[in-house]
Amino acid sequence: MSPSFAERCGVHDEAREAALGRLAREIDRHGLELVRVVWCDLHGVTRGKTLTARAVVPALRDGVGMVSTLMLKDSGDRTAYKVFEPEGIASLPGFQGASNLMLLGDPTSLRVLPWADGTGWLRGQPWFQDGSPVDLDSRRVLQRALERLAQRGWGFKCGLEVEFHIYRIEDTGAQLDPQRAEWPGLPPEVSMVHPGYNLLTEGWFDMAEEPLRIVQQTAQALELPLTSLEIELGPSQVEAVFEASDALTAADRMVLFRSSVRQALRRAGYHATFMCRPPFPNIMSSGWHLHQSVVDLATGRNLFRRDAPAEGTDPLNARHALSDIGAQWLAGLLAHARGMAVFCTPTANGYGRFRPNALAPQSALWGRDNRGAMLRLVGSCGDAATRIENRIGEPAANPYLYMASQIHAGLDGIERGLAPPPATETPYATADALLPTSLGEALSALQADTDLTAAFGKPFVDYLLQIKRSEQTRLEQAKDPEDWQRREYFSRI
């Protein structure tokens, strides 16, 4: 018997075969009729194939074909490479002619979707038809970054703190009118679920309880470790906070949370968006604050923890509360802040968030429990939960790339023995080390960051730059930039 596709990929063994048996039994036990095999694209959007229940196990052995141009789309679904011209695709072997890739699902990742009757969900990753991995896949990018850490016996722990907006759908007429269909199309007409400007108020939570209950029930049904739901400052803005976990698990959870919440709320008549700045006159930007620490894989010990302040330091010195490893990691994040920006804030819309006195960063600075700085040090000597909170991210970021950028930047700080400057107490008082203020500036900053480019691999960075420049060019050519962002982002993310 010839080997299956999964065997040719080198991922199928006795343990995976046993997992396929358990998966088949779970599909039967839950009475599933359809199973979605889903993959996360460069923009953090889930795509995939929906299989009938009987087709699932064979597909996890032999793969499911998908057009390779799905990996070459910009944020508006335009293919950013000329796949039918040899010179247009020469830098990406295996993608010529819109050829097929194979999507291979993980049999241990089954979730039963609580909003869709008889429907399951599996996480997948793309492979070339010859059984080799597609290295441009963003999940593999994070896996490679984690392998760098693992060579030192280290792991990466992350906590998710995600702001987003929920609106009530009032009319889908324009969105679904075939006479008005465009590429991309219009979003639905919406109204707010709370009026905002009353942070954490119980009354506004009560007003928005119906959609927040859907968020809560959806997350818990999918076994996502949600700890709190909060009313944020902006109109119709909310926040979800999750328990910390290893980075790959945290990234997988973020992908599942975003796609699931949008779908479940849509079924109930709500429009959820992870767009940083929705297209309305008076809104507050949404951020994704990534809490991070490095841990010893053997013991689980937090390697950022310091038991006593370093000799001769004061509270403005990072080594007063952070270990030497933690301080060097912090310095690496600062050194690569501009270069990493496009991984953390990948949309043109997100750069409107970097402004003074907005609880968002403006410059590459760090502070002790200071929410105006890009990096907020949380914890003190002896605290096992000591961590760095990076406040640069927007909620639309691809979580695999966001986390990989932290690892590569932090490791560079360690490998070069960098020392961070003193903590800031006035994060908006200086124009030094300003973060990029546009997508185009962020792309240029990444291109100029040779160390970060080398860490990600130049082929991947070149690929990312070409796709994001397609997005930037279309924005520059738009007759109505606000309408462009409404269609490009508010309608789709």
Side-chain angles (χ1 to χ4, degrees):
M1 176 182 287
S2 60
S4 68
F5 179 71
E7 288 173 320
R8 287 194 285 122
C9 292
V11 299
H12 196 77
D13 53 19
E14 290 184 4
R16 190 171 185 273
E17 184 62 33
L20 288 180
R22 292 191 296 272
L23 173 64
R25 291 190 291 273
E26 284 296 291
I27 289 173
D28 287 343
R29 184 170 75 88
H30 290 287
L32 300 182
E33 300 173 357
L34 298 171
V35 176
R36 304 174 186 177
V37 182
V38 168
W39 153 77
C40 174
D41 75 4
L42 183 70
H43 310 287
V45 175
T46 51
R47 304 175 185 259
K49 295 286 186 82
T50 299
L51 308 179
T52 59
R54 63 179 294 187
V56 174
V57 170
L60 266 64
R61 291 195 179 100
D62 297 322
V64 180
M66 72 175 197
V67 61
S68 59
T69 55
L70 286 176
M71 293 198 67
L72 309 180
K73 302 290 188 183
D74 68 14
S75 58
D77 242 40
R78 263 74 168 190
T79 302
Y81 286 80
K82 297 178 179 179
V83 297
F84 300 110
E85 300 176 16
E87 66 277 8
I89 201 70
S91 63
L92 296 180
F95 288 85
Q96 299 91 339
S99 58
N100 249 13
L101 299 175
M102 303 300 289
L103 191 62
L104 202 55
D106 178 355
T108 68
S109 64
L110 179 68
R111 296 291 185 272
V112 178
L113 301 184
W115 69 88
D117 289 344
T119 302
W121 182 98
L122 289 170
R123 183 181 58 253
Q125 283 187 267
W127 297 77
F128 288 115
Q129 294 180 64
D130 65 1
S132 60
V134 181
D135 288 333
L136 298 180
D137 171 47
S138 60
R139 191 170 190 266
R140 284 198 174 89
V141 170
L142 176 58
Q143 288 170 318
R144 290 198 304 271
L146 289 168
E147 287 169 4
R148 284 190 69 196
L149 275 178
Q151 290 171 2
R152 295 170 173 262
W154 297 348
F156 193 44
K157 188 174 182 178
C158 293
L160 310 181
E161 184 182 329
V162 188
E163 298 166 352
F164 59 107
H165 290 78
I166 301 173
Y167 297 92
R168 182 175 287 104
I169 296 173
E170 297 294 344
D171 189 357
T172 59
Q175 184 185 37
L176 300 179
D177 181 353
Q179 299 296 330
R180 301 177 65 181
E182 294 186 51
W183 187 1
L186 288 165
E189 295 180 15
V190 298
S191 61
M192 300 185 304
V193 299
H194 72 76
Y197 305 119
N198 208 351
L199 182 65
L200 296 184
T201 182
E202 181 187 9
W204 283 184
F205 187 97
D206 194 66
M207 183 182 292
E209 183 178 18
E210 181 179 64
L212 289 174
R213 283 283 189 178
I214 294 169
V215 174
Q216 168 233 321
Q217 292 164 2
T218 301
Q220 291 177 341
L222 296 171
E223 301 176 15
L224 302 177
L226 180 70
T227 61
S228 71
L229 289 169
E230 302 170 8
I231 295 295
E232 267 297 329
L233 179 59
S236 238
Q237 188 181 38
V238 300
E239 181 179 70
V241 180
F242 297 85
E243 291 178 4
S245 68
D246 70 275
L248 190 61
T249 298
D252 289 340
R253 286 169 172 169
M254 181 64 170
V255 170
L256 180 57
F257 175 73
R258 281 193 310 215
S259 63
S260 299
V261 161
R262 282 179 55 82
Q263 293 173 66
L265 284 169
R266 173 78 188 198
R267 292 281 187 110
Y270 295 94
H271 179 76
T273 180
F274 292 83
M275 177 184 186
C276 178
R277 295 178 60 79
F280 303 111
N282 297 301
I283 52 90
M284 297 295 291
S285 300
S286 289
W288 170 10
H289 306 149
L290 185 64
H291 295 255
Q292 57 190 276
S293 58
V294 174
V295 298
D296 185 297
L297 287 175
T299 65
R301 182 171 61 90
N302 182 355
L303 298 180
F304 284 1
R305 172 179 172 172
R306 179 178 286 280
D307 291 326
E311 186 176 351
T313 62
D314 61 33
L316 296 183
N317 188 302
R319 294 171 62 244
H320 193 77
L322 275 175
S323 68
D324 289 355
I325 287 173
Q328 291 168 351
W329 186 279
L330 177 74
L333 295 180
L334 292 174
H336 295 286
R338 288 180 54 80
M340 74 164 67
V342 73
F343 297 111
C344 312
T345 299
T347 73
N349 175 265
Y351 290 89
R353 177 170 162 263
F354 300 151
R355 56 182 63 185
N357 303 307
L359 291 177
Q362 182 184 24
S363 302
L365 302 169
W366 76 277
R368 292 289 305 272
D369 199 11
N370 189 318
R371 286 179 168 84
M374 186 188 97
L375 303 177
R376 173 182 171 233
L377 175 56
V378 184
S380 56
C381 285
D383 186 350
T386 295
R387 61 196 184 274
I388 298 168
E389 177 193 17
N390 195 337
R391 300 174 64 82
I392 193 177
E394 68 170 325
N398 179 312
Y400 304 114
L401 300 183
Y402 190 176
M403 295 179 191
S405 72
Q406 309 302 283
I407 293 170
H408 290 313
L411 278 176
D412 185 61
I414 290 170
E415 290 169 356
R416 291 199 285 151
L418 299 182
T424 183
E425 296 181 289
T426 54
Y428 302 116
T430 177
D432 293 340
L434 289 176
L435 295 172
T437 57
S438 69
L439 176 58
E441 186 182 346
L443 294 174
S444 297
L446 172 59
Q447 191 172 29
D449 192 328
T450 54
D451 290 332
L452 198 58
T453 294
F456 273 93
K458 191 173 185 299
F460 178 80
V461 170
D462 288 346
Y463 156 75
L464 176 83
L465 290 173
Q466 177 146 341
I467 290 178
K468 297 305 291 185
R469 282 179 177 144
S470 173
E471 176 183 343
Q472 175 69 17
T473 298
R474 288 191 301 100
L475 173 58
E476 291 170 352
Q477 295 173 347
K479 294 180 180 179
D480 184 342
E482 184 174 323
D483 181 65
W484 185 92
Q485 293 198 39
R486 181 180 296 109
R487 295 168 182 270
E488 191 92 2
Y489 303 137
F490 186 64
S491 183
R492 299 154 68 94
I493 58 173

